[in-house]
Short mmCIF file of all heavy atoms in Angstrom, two decimals:
data_model
loop_
_atom_site.label_atom_id
_atom_site.label_comp_id
_atom_site.label_asym_id
_atom_site.label_seq_id
_atom_site.Cartn_x
_atom_site.Cartn_y
_atom_site.Cartn_z
N LYS A 171 71.23 157.87 8.28
CA LYS A 171 70.87 157.17 9.53
C LYS A 171 69.60 156.34 9.32
O LYS A 171 68.66 156.77 8.68
CB LYS A 171 70.63 158.18 10.65
CG LYS A 171 71.89 158.77 11.23
CD LYS A 171 71.88 158.78 12.74
CE LYS A 171 73.12 159.38 13.37
NZ LYS A 171 74.38 159.11 12.73
N GLY A 172 69.63 155.12 9.88
CA GLY A 172 68.47 154.24 9.75
C GLY A 172 68.54 153.32 8.54
O GLY A 172 67.67 152.50 8.32
N TYR A 173 69.60 153.47 7.74
CA TYR A 173 69.78 152.66 6.53
C TYR A 173 71.15 151.98 6.56
O TYR A 173 72.03 152.37 7.33
CB TYR A 173 69.66 153.52 5.26
CG TYR A 173 68.26 154.03 5.03
CD1 TYR A 173 67.79 155.16 5.71
CD2 TYR A 173 67.38 153.38 4.17
CE1 TYR A 173 66.49 155.62 5.53
CE2 TYR A 173 66.09 153.84 3.97
CZ TYR A 173 65.65 154.95 4.66
OH TYR A 173 64.37 155.40 4.48
N TYR A 174 71.28 150.96 5.73
CA TYR A 174 72.56 150.25 5.64
C TYR A 174 73.20 150.41 4.28
O TYR A 174 74.23 149.84 4.00
CB TYR A 174 72.36 148.75 5.97
CG TYR A 174 71.82 148.56 7.36
CD1 TYR A 174 70.47 148.36 7.58
CD2 TYR A 174 72.67 148.64 8.47
CE1 TYR A 174 69.96 148.21 8.86
CE2 TYR A 174 72.17 148.51 9.76
CZ TYR A 174 70.82 148.30 9.94
OH TYR A 174 70.32 148.18 11.22
N LYS A 175 72.52 151.17 3.44
CA LYS A 175 73.03 151.39 2.08
C LYS A 175 73.33 152.87 1.89
O LYS A 175 72.72 153.73 2.53
CB LYS A 175 71.97 150.96 1.05
CG LYS A 175 71.73 149.48 1.00
CD LYS A 175 70.67 149.15 -0.05
CE LYS A 175 70.51 147.64 -0.19
NZ LYS A 175 69.52 147.31 -1.21
N THR A 176 74.26 153.15 0.97
CA THR A 176 74.57 154.55 0.63
C THR A 176 73.44 155.13 -0.21
O THR A 176 72.62 154.38 -0.77
CB THR A 176 75.88 154.64 -0.19
OG1 THR A 176 75.66 154.01 -1.46
CG2 THR A 176 77.06 154.00 0.52
N PHE A 177 73.44 156.46 -0.32
CA PHE A 177 72.47 157.10 -1.22
C PHE A 177 72.60 156.53 -2.63
O PHE A 177 71.62 156.36 -3.34
CB PHE A 177 72.71 158.61 -1.28
CG PHE A 177 71.92 159.41 -0.26
CD1 PHE A 177 72.33 160.69 0.08
CD2 PHE A 177 70.77 158.91 0.32
CE1 PHE A 177 71.60 161.45 0.98
CE2 PHE A 177 70.03 159.66 1.23
CZ PHE A 177 70.45 160.94 1.57
N ALA A 178 73.82 156.21 -3.04
CA ALA A 178 74.06 155.70 -4.40
C ALA A 178 73.52 154.28 -4.58
O ALA A 178 73.28 153.84 -5.69
CB ALA A 178 75.55 155.74 -4.72
N GLU A 179 73.35 153.55 -3.47
CA GLU A 179 72.78 152.19 -3.53
C GLU A 179 71.27 152.20 -3.36
O GLU A 179 70.57 151.33 -3.87
CB GLU A 179 73.38 151.32 -2.42
CG GLU A 179 74.86 151.01 -2.59
CD GLU A 179 75.44 150.28 -1.40
OE1 GLU A 179 75.34 150.80 -0.27
OE2 GLU A 179 75.98 149.18 -1.59
N LEU A 180 70.75 153.19 -2.63
CA LEU A 180 69.32 153.23 -2.33
C LEU A 180 68.48 153.55 -3.57
O LEU A 180 67.34 153.14 -3.66
CB LEU A 180 69.03 154.27 -1.24
CG LEU A 180 69.46 153.88 0.16
CD1 LEU A 180 69.35 155.08 1.11
CD2 LEU A 180 68.64 152.71 0.68
N GLY A 181 69.07 154.29 -4.51
CA GLY A 181 68.33 154.65 -5.72
C GLY A 181 67.55 155.95 -5.55
O GLY A 181 67.28 156.40 -4.44
N ALA A 182 67.18 156.52 -6.67
CA ALA A 182 66.57 157.85 -6.69
C ALA A 182 65.25 157.92 -5.93
O ALA A 182 65.00 158.89 -5.22
CB ALA A 182 66.35 158.29 -8.13
N ASP A 183 64.40 156.90 -6.04
CA ASP A 183 63.08 156.98 -5.39
C ASP A 183 63.20 157.12 -3.88
O ASP A 183 62.54 157.96 -3.27
CB ASP A 183 62.22 155.76 -5.74
CG ASP A 183 61.73 155.80 -7.18
OD1 ASP A 183 61.87 156.87 -7.82
OD2 ASP A 183 61.22 154.77 -7.66
#
Side-chain angles (χ1 to χ4, degrees):
K171 284 226 181 323
Y173 291 82
Y174 299 98
K175 292 180 175 181
T176 66
F177 269 160
E179 292 173 304
L180 287 170
D183 288 349

